[in-house]
Amino acid sequence: MKTSSSLGRRRFLKLSGLAGAGLVLGSYLRFTGDAFAIEVRGAAEAAPAGARLGAFVRIAPDGRVFIAAHVPEIGQGVRTSLPMIVAEELEVDWRSVTVEPVPLDRAFSRQSAGGSNTTPANFLPLRRAGATARVMLVEAAARTWGVPAAECRAESGAVVHTPTDRRLGYGELVALAATLPTPPAESVPLKDPRDYKIIGRRIGGVDNPSIVTGRPLFGIDQTLPGLLHAVYVKCPVFGGKVVSADLDAVKKLPGVVDAFVIEGTRNLNGLMPGVAIVAKSTWAAFQARRSLTVTWDEGPRANDSWDGLVREAREALGRPGQQTPRNEGDVTVAIAGAAKTVEAEYVYPFLGHTNLEPQNCTAHFRDGALELWAPTQNPGGGQRMIAETLGLAPEKIRVNITRIGGGFGRRLESDFMVEAAAIAMKVAAPVKLAWTREDDMRHDHYRPGGVHRLRGAVGQDGALLAWDARFATFGNVSGRPGSGAGISGNEFPAHFLRDYRQEMSVLECGIPMGYWRAPGSSTLAWVTQCFFDELAQAAGADPYRYRLKLLENPLQPKPPRGGFDPGRMRGVLVDAAERAGWDGPALPRGRGRGIAFYFSHRGYFAIVAEVTVSPAGALTVDRVVASGDVGSPIVNPSGADNQVVGSVVDGLSAAWVQSDDVKDGRVVAGNFDAHPILRMPAAPKVVEVRLIQTDNPPTGLGEPALPPLAPAVCNAIFAATGKRVRSLPIASVDLSWS
Amino acid sequence: MPLALNVNGAVCPLPEDLDPSTPLLWVLRDTLGLVGTKYGCGQGLCGACTVHLNGQPMRSCVLPVAAAAGSRITTIEGLDPAGAHPVQKAWCELDVPQCGYCQAGQIMSAAALLAKNAAPDDAAIDAAMAGNLCRCGTYLRIREGIKRASALAAGGKEAVS
Ligand code: FES
Ligand code: FES
């Protein structure tokens, strides 16, 4: 079979509709470097090299500006927003900027995308990177003219000598500038935010033109000459091993080049044992695996099931927790003396990430060195894991970072990279490992499920008196919660209530766990903000004002460690309630409003949801009003708004329709029929977003809008129907009313 | 007899040893190097692989290549290579994509919808787009994008981006 690489350039251009369109093609060739093989093939005219001013900035003699995008793009918009920051301080027009992908490189301090950390970690350093280059260009101009630098200013990609109006473009200055000493980063003057021309503008994603015309961008799109295609078959039971495999039969199948067993390690998040099939095309590899017979040693966890884990969790909840993250005052006494007590159990399932681009990675091993093209959120982690697992020196592992078809935390794990590396080291050609959708759903690192039992008490006057919570969670090692499975002692209303206790027990299970967008927060917000609503109801109070009142009375005047600023939270809560018309006319039965807030990843969010539930129990989310405070400035309001609306839809999908059942040690669902995600008709009709720009440094938006969505919707369902949703997904709860 | 495909206006003979039951998706991606069409599920459940077959939206992951021979196939690369199709323009104007992985399929479904219904309302949009998953949750901008594309196609003024 012919692989794409055997097509000549001319042929490719023809098929892609670009024949004879040299100019058009040129304008799309924003990517240089071998990470984008097909584009490179068409790239007749490479951009002139010019000179580099620091790790992020390169300027060509013709004045074009190239800015490195060093953080993986998973849809959070950083390939656009980070270069915007550099360009702002550099004083160039956005039109003159080309964003360049860069591989994993020590020149950049931090190249992972996670924890909504990218904006807070990069805002100041990138301003300094742009400003440093600007200062050097100004200095170069001053020397050229023999005038003091103070008489010169930078403007639109040029330096102007103010007294004489002489002007030199950056392209003319860069060669000299690059020879000057780099001033200390802290010494360079930064722009007054009032003078920002790029930061704060709605700027479309830099890859949009490529996305809408189908250019190769993603990990799965990588093509190299002589590329082979691989699948990797692992034991359906987590932690299982290969006993034997009928490799000879598979090797005889059409298109198959090789098949072999990889022994792997015991690390559930690393290189698990399996069988690799290498073929001439993806389809040949997918087909061959259907004929593969493997005898597995399913290991000790073959009896794990979600039902069983819930049973164990309930038993554990009958005992005091193994750990007590917080124990303030005396909840037992407070509850015993209270007018009203409320008790409830909240439970949520394990949940996979289901990135739309299944896990994949391309790798080429030659001359003792490995090169990868990886859709990874965590290139450094992948390099480390490969080095440790396969015994290669990190310097021998080059990681090219591709655009990524959805992160959500899944690609902080490096299993797909180490698998591709292990396969490539046995094949004398570049090889692309592609997981099937079924592989992807059944070999994820799941958001941990959990069971909570909560007790709360309110006084005669409705005042909240006590919060007593016990949490049964999961880990792969006894006593240690899995990624995103733990709880701190800081869950609201901690720091606002004198009698407060949080206990936790960790149950061992064999299901691999990993960070899932807003780890911990995405589920804990649902539990705590729904139960808080139950207490407001017991107090006969308005759920919005009951929250507000507590937020007005923190125990300590200053936010404690791990706590949040009550003033900022009140800001978003009041804003959301007012914009949603919380005090407007009451809604008829079957319609309801719910409110929730949450602090996570340094961001403050409040959400009001408006829902309709038909008497038969069909849910519609009519309107979502979200208010956030992630400081200021908002670097790219278009990307920011997209993140918040996306978090609302994602949060709704996760809460409403998604779950992963576990039976016989394996995840049951293999595709979108058994594990649905929200489709367009179920998306909210209206999502109204407002970001309040407070005088705080800017923080990330990939996660913090998501946590309050689920409790706002469930509280709205209660308002509409009188039914509390205490287990997820909502779709499995009967919402009918009469 | 070896198969040939008509893709984006070009006739593409296929290798003789190509299994005729291979889904069109993998022929486009691996044989012809047209990787704009995406794999998401392989079972017709996600819409990431949507192409046009004689103008009709089709899930190429469940369409054997033999069944596509003789039809006019348009992929995202051929919709308008310069990105000047109203849907492509609207997508860029409104900055619809997040990760972007689903968007080729979304755009092909949207273009097919607009070809038969020049001014779809919300219900028509939701119905036509229900087969296209977006894991990033860009559905609201997609709805807006389709309306904007409809306006652009009707000669609407381009917004300043
Ligand atoms: S890949 Fe074809 S519908 Fe999902
Ligand atoms: S934009 Fe990411 S799946 Fe749609």
Side-chain angles (χ1 to χ4, degrees):
Chain A
M1 184 178 291
K2 216 169 184 181
T3 59
S4 59
S5 54
S6 63
L7 288 174
R9 170 170 181 261
R10 174 158 273 183
R11 178 81 183 288
F12 167 72
L13 294 178
K14 185 131 200 241
L15 289 177
S16 58
L18 287 168
L23 279 176
V24 176
L25 185 61
S27 74
Y28 281 103
L29 287 171
R30 296 250 149 168
F31 311 98
T32 53
D34 44 8
F36 301 93
I38 288 184
E39 300 238 357
V40 169
R41 205 151 15 114
E45 36 130 22
R52 195 164 274 294
L53 298 173
F56 289 94
V57 177
R58 181 165 69 83
I59 296 174
D62 63 4
R64 274 186 291 165
V65 178
F66 298 83
I67 300 181
H70 67 303
V71 177
E73 174 63 66
I74 52 179
Q76 84 283 42
V78 293
R79 268 175 59 75
T80 307
S81 63
L82 297 184
M84 283 171 69
I85 300 169
V86 178
E88 179 70 69
E89 291 286 351
L90 185 58
E91 287 292 3
V92 291
D93 296 334
W94 184 246
R95 277 196 320 269
S96 67
V97 172
T98 299
V99 175
E100 287 189 303
V102 288
L104 177 67
D105 190 327
R106 289 232 183 87
F108 307 103
S109 54
R110 188 180 172 281
Q111 281 183 277
S112 67
S116 294
N117 273 320
T118 300
T119 299
N122 285 285
F123 188 63
L124 181 59
L126 289 186
R127 282 159 76 206
R128 285 178 167 157
T132 302
R134 182 193 69 222
V135 165
M136 291 164 80
L137 289 158
V138 167
E139 180 61 29
R143 290 193 188 191
T144 306
W145 291 318
V147 301
E151 288 181 4
C152 304
R153 65 177 201 276
E155 176 182 286
S156 286
V159 180
V160 181
H161 181 229
T162 305
T164 61
D165 233 11
R166 277 178 292 176
R167 200 182 175 87
L168 280 171
Y170 282 0
E172 300 163 89
L173 294 168
V174 68
L176 175 59
T179 65
L180 301 176
T182 307
E186 307 76 51
S187 74
V188 296
L190 297 175
K191 287 177 74 171
D192 184 326
R194 275 175 304 198
D195 299 330
Y196 284 165
K197 297 188 200 76
I198 295 174
I199 290 176
R201 238 169 73 196
R202 295 182 75 89
I203 289 183
V206 293
D207 288 338
N208 285 350
S210 299
I211 289 171
V212 304
T213 50
R215 314 270 93 208
L217 287 172
F218 298 91
I220 205 169
D221 299 343
Q222 302 310 307
T223 313
L224 292 165
L227 183 72
L228 295 175
H229 299 263
V231 290
Y232 190 56
V233 183
K234 285 171 286 193
C235 181
V237 173
F238 299 116
K241 287 193 291 237
V242 185
V243 175
S244 64
D246 187 1
L247 301 174
D248 291 335
V250 169
K251 285 187 205 167
K252 288 194 199 105
L253 295 171
V256 173
V257 174
D258 201 359
F260 45 86
V261 171
I262 292 177
E263 210 167 302
T265 65
R266 296 163 58 89
N267 178 1
L268 279 175
N269 297 61
L271 180 62
M272 290 304 292
V275 181
I277 302 174
V278 182
K280 288 190 194 154
S281 72
T282 315
W283 183 245
F286 281 13
Q287 284 295 86
R289 71 174 297 161
R290 296 189 187 196
S291 320
L292 175 71
T293 32
V294 188
T295 308
W296 301 105
D297 167 3
E298 294 187 339
R301 315 284 343 180
N303 295 320
D304 274 7
S305 72
W306 175 237
D307 286 347
L309 292 175
V310 171
R311 259 196 315 276
E312 270 183 63
R314 288 192 173 129
E315 280 168 30
L317 289 171
R319 303 184 292 269
Q322 296 161 343
Q323 302 169 36
T324 308
R326 182 173 297 274
N327 191 2
E328 299 283 339
D330 192 330
V331 286
T332 316
V333 171
I335 288 173
K340 269 190 193 163
T341 58
V342 180
E343 249 190 270
E345 180 196 275
Y346 281 81
V347 51
Y348 45 83
F350 278 80
L351 185 60
H353 298 80
T354 57
N355 318 78
L356 202 59
E357 179 189 14
Q359 309 314 311
N360 66 85
C361 183
T362 301
H364 192 191
F365 186 68
R366 65 193 142 170
D367 307 328
L370 186 68
E371 182 163 12
L372 297 110
W373 294 261
T376 170
Q377 292 178 249
N378 186 10
Q383 187 189 55
R384 230 173 3 259
M385 177 176 281
I386 291 168
E388 280 162 16
T389 311
L390 303 173
L392 276 178
E395 314 82 73
K396 294 278 182 199
I397 306 168
R398 179 182 160 95
V399 184
N400 301 295
I401 308 163
T402 70
R403 194 179 173 92
I404 300 171
F408 313 107
R410 173 63 180 86
R411 287 163 159 123
L412 291 169
E413 304 291 344
S414 304
D415 46 351
F416 54 95
M417 287 176 73
V418 71
E419 289 172 6
I423 295 167
M425 286 176 75
K426 294 203 173 191
V427 177
V431 54
K432 174 157 68 185
L433 167 69
W435 290 26
T436 61
R437 170 56 57 196
E438 289 76 10
D439 289 334
D440 196 87
M441 280 201 185
R442 296 197 172 119
H443 291 284
D444 204 331
H445 306 266
Y446 301 83
R447 179 174 91 177
V451 187
H452 296 248
R453 194 165 291 169
L454 303 105
R455 295 194 301 158
V458 295
Q460 207 66 59
D461 58 353
L464 182 60
L465 296 180
W467 178 283
D468 185 18
R470 201 171 268 179
F471 176 27
T473 187
F474 302 97
N476 297 133
V477 182
S478 170
R480 256 211 0 245
S483 299
I487 194 165
S488 73
N490 294 310
E491 292 300 323
F492 182 79
H495 311 300
F496 294 86
L497 188 61
R498 235 165 272 285
D499 296 295
Y500 180 102
R501 180 164 66 182
Q502 178 68 59
E503 296 175 54
M504 173 174 79
S505 294
V506 185
L507 307 172
E508 207 179 309
C509 77
I511 305 163
M513 283 165 258
Y515 293 122
W516 194 105
R517 197 177 200 174
S521 310
S522 68
T523 44
L524 298 176
W526 174 69
V527 172
T528 55
Q529 287 286 307
C530 285
F531 188 64
F532 193 85
D533 234 59
E534 297 203 39
L535 293 170
Q537 182 200 347
D542 173 83
Y544 158 50
R545 297 220 154 61
Y546 205 57
R547 284 173 170 79
L548 193 59
K549 194 168 152 212
L550 214 56
L551 287 175
E552 279 161 356
N553 293 291
L555 294 180
Q556 295 146 38
K558 277 211 154 158
R561 252 179 80 89
F564 57 78
D565 178 343
R568 293 180 74 182
M569 193 59 87
R570 288 196 302 271
V572 295
L573 186 67
V574 170
D575 187 68
E578 283 178 357
R579 286 193 301 121
W582 184 266
D583 291 324
L587 296 170
R589 188 100 204 279
R591 296 195 56 205
R593 266 186 213 108
I595 194 164
F597 68 77
Y598 204 72
F599 170 75
S600 72
H601 298 89
R602 306 181 179 86
Y604 295 75
F605 268 88
I607 286 181
V608 175
E610 244 177 70
V611 307
T612 301
V613 182
S614 75
L619 171 67
T620 312
V621 178
D622 304 309
R623 181 181 178 219
V624 173
V625 177
S627 294
D629 173 359
V630 289
S632 62
I634 302 297
V635 176
N636 182 358
S638 176
D641 178 73
N642 223 354
Q643 282 308 296
V644 177
V645 178
S647 296
V648 164
V649 175
D650 187 11
L652 183 61
S653 179
W656 189 355
V657 299
Q658 288 180 247
S659 68
D660 272 308
D661 194 14
V662 178
K663 282 201 174 86
D664 304 323
R666 63 199 88 196
V667 158
V668 177
N671 215 314
F672 292 116
D673 45 357
H675 177 135
I677 65 177
L678 207 72
R679 291 176 183 274
M680 188 186 282
K685 300 296 159 231
V686 180
V687 180
E688 295 162 34
V689 178
R690 178 153 176 234
L691 297 174
I692 303 170
Q693 302 213 25
T694 58
D695 193 16
N696 290 288
T699 56
L701 266 175
E703 290 159 291
L706 185 140
L709 186 279
V713 167
C714 290
N715 293 338
I717 290 171
F718 172 76
T721 65
K723 283 191 169 174
R724 289 283 175 198
V725 177
R726 296 196 187 94
S727 70
L728 294 181
I730 300 168
S732 64
V733 180
D734 174 13
L735 300 181
S736 64
W737 56 275
S738 52
Chain B
M1 230 197 43
L3 287 169
L5 289 182
N6 176 344
V7 184
N8 300 334
V11 176
C12 314
L14 298 177
E16 290 201 20
D17 60 349
L18 181 73
D19 173 359
S21 69
T22 307
L24 174 62
L25 169 68
W26 296 111
V27 176
L28 292 171
R29 290 185 58 84
D30 287 350
T31 312
L32 302 180
L34 294 172
V35 295
T37 305
K38 294 295 190 266
Y39 166 68
C41 70
Q43 292 192 13
L45 299 166
C46 77
C49 64
T50 305
V51 298
H52 294 173
L53 216 70
N54 299 327
Q56 296 299 313
M58 282 288 164
R59 310 292 183 230
S60 64
C61 69
V62 286
L63 185 72
V65 64
S71 299
R72 234 175 349 101
I73 300 162
T74 307
T75 68
I76 185 74
E77 289 92 342
L79 185 64
D80 185 321
H85 186 282
V87 174
Q88 292 168 316
K89 280 164 68 176
W91 251 237
C92 289
E93 231 182 68
L94 300 186
D95 193 20
V96 169
Q98 284 186 37
C99 82
Y101 194 77
C102 71
Q103 299 296 343
Q106 307 279 5
I107 289 168
M108 296 311 279
S109 290
L113 165 66
L114 288 171
K116 62 171 200 267
N117 180 353
D121 60 12
D122 277 350
I125 292 173
D126 280 10
M129 302 302 292
N132 287 82
L133 293 177
C134 176
R135 176 65 183 81
C136 300
T138 62
Y139 297 129
L140 282 87
R141 282 198 187 183
I142 292 174
R143 282 187 193 132
E144 284 311 302
I146 291 175
K147 289 176 197 167
R148 178 69 189 141
S150 157
L152 285 175
K157 218 169 79 59
E158 268 185 64
V160 232
S161 64

